[in-house]
Every structure is written in C-alpha cells, then in structure tokens.
Amino acid sequence: MKKAKASLAVLLSTSLLFGCTQEKEGTEPADDNAKKASASKLDDVSSEYREYAIGEIEEFVNATEEFTKAVSAGDIEKAKELYAPARMHYERAEPIAEVFGDLDPKIDAREGDVKDAEWGGYHRIEMGLWEENTTKGYEKYADQLMSDVNLLRAKVETVEVTPDLLITGAVDLLNEVSTSKVTGEEDRYSHTDLYDFVANVEGAEKIYELLNPALKEKDAKLAAEIQQRFDDVYGLLEKHKEGNGYISYTDLKESEVKELSQAIDALAEPLSQIGIVTEES
C-alpha cells in the first residue's frame, strides 16, 4: 500500500508514432495512418494488461476465500501457509488495485497507516497469526476482508486501463519495493516480504513484456538492458527460495538486503524510460 499516489488513470493522447512515412497524394496522410496504427497497438496492450490484472484479482478473491475460511475455522497453521501466496495476486495487480483509494487501505493497510479503530485487512490478521498466535477475535476482520475483496473484484471491471497507467504502474511497483518494502515494514510480523518483492517484480515485468515490441522499435538497446536487469533481480531472489516459497526476510544478511535493493534500483532506472513508446518519431 502507498500512502500517497498520483492518479494513474490519465488519458493519453493518441498522437503516438512508431515510425514516420511520407504522405502520398490522394490518400490519407501517412503520419495519420502511423498515429492510428500506433494508438491501436497501445490499445491492444492496454486490453491485454486489463485481462491480466483482472485475472490476478480473480485469483486473489479465490485465495482470500481460502485464507479467511482458515482464519474463521481457527486453523492457524493453514492461515499462515495461505497468507503470503494469497497476497502475491494483489501485489502483482497493484497498478489497478490501488486505483480504488477507499478499498486499498481496507485490504492492505499496515499498522499506523490508518486509525487503529479503522485498521483491518490482511496485515491486521497477520498480526494476530504471528504476533499473538491466535485467530480468536479475528473472525470479524476475516469477514470484512472477504467482503472488501469481493467489492474490489466488482469495481475493477470499471477501471480504464491506459498506456500511461501501465508505464507509471511498472515503475511504481519497483519503487515501492526499493523505498519501503526493502525495510521489512510491509510484512513486519510474518516476515514474508520476499513474496511481495517477487510479486511486484513479476507485475512490473508483465507490463514490460506487453510494451516490449513497441519499445524494441524505439530503442532495442534499452529493451535488452531492461531484460538483463530483470534477470539480475530474479537471480538474486532465486537464492532465497525455499521449496515453493521464500525464506524469512529476517534470515537475509544486511549485505544481501543491500544487494537486492541495488539490483531493483538498477532495474527501475532504465524501466522508467519506457515512456518513449508514447513519443512521436
């Protein structure tokens, strides 16, 4: 969750060019054709991302249902097992999920982000599971969480996905990791932060993959550099895998945290330049 976030759903001008051709007499101007073609390509990318994000939210609904059922049933170990994998779906789709400023705090607020009387969601239950080792008294938070996640699923259908949302969202996903999550404050009770890291990186990579064909036309060298930086980050994260999941964040050495943070920063810098796909030739 981010405490402050600029509006992402900004309509982008359709004067986007992938190439410039000469105008032919008696036909529609070539630059107009190029504009329409490039705009159409970016519209297709936006539609593909919308489908991806809605799919992740759908999985988030299903995973949250399992998680909240375990909490309500008093199955502490099952709830702990489901907690981090469930949240990964939300973290991957954050560029869309966080558009709803009223629901994001209810689902993903950490202690201190909102007034204690208003604090609920995943992290409130996380505190009960790991800090207090109980589900007693947390059933009401589980019920409210499920209600809020179902509402998110319904509302996400109304989101207009634009190229600008994708570009801003990809960089924001990585910045969130490097500026706040790297401190371990996100999952401060469970220390499952690496799951969040992976999901944020995967969400950013999905946007990069969708924009990559257009990016290659603009700057093939930049596209290759971004892919290499993604590979570097994944290589570091792979070192901390344990079975199908990841080790506790507290098990990382200070040098390993620093290495991971630097790799994410090194990825975020070239990724922040993907906006060139919307520039005129």
Side-chain angles (χ1 to χ4, degrees):
M1 175 190 172
K2 303 180 185 71
K3 294 183 180 178
K5 192 173 183 69
S7 174
L8 294 176
V10 179
L11 289 176
L12 195 68
S13 168
T14 56
S15 59
L16 312 171
L17 301 178
F18 284 104
C20 297
T21 54
Q22 294 183 346
E23 181 178 341
K24 296 181 180 180
E25 185 177 354
T27 64
E28 189 173 0
D31 59 342
D32 285 348
N33 289 334
K35 290 176 185 179
K36 289 180 180 180
S38 60
S40 177
K41 289 179 183 178
L42 289 178
D43 285 344
D44 289 344
V45 166
S46 297
S47 296
E48 285 186 59
Y49 181 75
R50 184 176 185 276
E51 183 177 345
Y52 163 79
I54 289 178
E56 285 297 328
I57 296 299
E58 185 69 38
E59 289 298 319
F60 183 53
V61 171
N62 296 334
T64 299
E65 185 173 12
E66 287 189 58
F67 173 70
T68 54
K69 281 181 177 179
V71 173
S72 297
D75 193 339
I76 296 174
E77 293 309 312
K78 184 66 173 178
K80 285 183 176 181
E81 177 186 331
L82 295 171
Y83 169 80
R87 291 190 68 257
M88 290 182 79
H89 297 293
Y90 188 82
E91 296 291 337
R92 292 188 189 105
E94 272 192 321
I96 280 185
E98 287 191 336
V99 167
F100 305 103
D102 56 335
L103 283 176
D104 180 53
K106 292 181 179 181
I107 294 169
D108 201 35
R110 298 159 298 186
E111 185 176 12
D113 286 339
V114 295
K115 295 178 181 178
D116 189 65
E118 300 173 1
W119 184 36
Y122 264 96
H123 293 301
R124 181 88 190 213
I125 299 172
E126 176 200 5
M127 183 179 74
L129 294 174
W130 275 272
E131 194 82 353
E132 302 174 3
N133 199 39
T134 187
T135 60
K136 190 174 182 179
Y138 286 86
E139 298 88 351
K140 63 181 180 180
Y141 296 117
D143 290 343
Q144 185 60 52
L145 174 61
M146 192 68 249
S147 176
D148 291 332
V149 170
N150 280 326
L151 182 56
L152 172 66
R153 175 63 185 89
K155 281 192 169 186
V156 79
E157 294 286 349
T158 67
V159 174
E160 180 180 8
V161 178
T162 66
D164 191 54
L165 183 149
L166 301 185
I167 293 164
T168 305
V171 178
D172 282 350
L173 282 169
L174 296 182
N175 286 342
E176 187 172 356
V177 174
S178 64
T179 60
S180 63
K181 290 182 179 177
V182 74
T183 66
E185 67 177 33
E186 180 80 3
D187 297 294
R188 61 190 68 167
Y189 311 110
S190 63
H191 307 299
T192 55
D193 304 83
L194 286 173
Y195 288 81
D196 287 1
F197 286 18
V198 172
N200 283 158
V201 173
E202 288 173 343
E205 184 182 37
K206 181 63 178 181
I207 294 172
Y208 160 72
E209 288 176 348
L210 291 173
L211 291 172
N212 192 39
L215 181 59
K216 281 183 176 179
E217 290 188 32
K218 288 284 187 175
D219 192 334
K221 185 177 179 180
L222 176 61
E225 180 185 358
I226 292 172
Q227 184 59 66
Q228 182 58 59
R229 297 301 186 186
F230 269 116
D231 293 342
D232 292 343
V233 171
Y234 282 127
L236 292 177
L237 289 168
E238 187 69 22
K239 294 179 181 179
H240 307 304
K241 286 204 73 172
E242 186 175 66
N244 293 324
Y246 295 86
I247 64 174
S248 171
Y249 194 60
T250 55
D251 289 343
L252 269 66
K253 299 175 183 176
E254 185 177 341
S255 59
E256 291 174 322
V257 172
K258 183 178 180 181
E259 184 180 35
L260 188 55
S261 177
Q262 289 175 336
I264 291 172
D265 286 340
L267 167 59
E269 194 283 321
L271 191 66
S272 68
Q273 301 176 46
I274 61 173
I276 65 171
V277 300
T278 67
E279 294 176 358
E280 295 185 7
S281 298

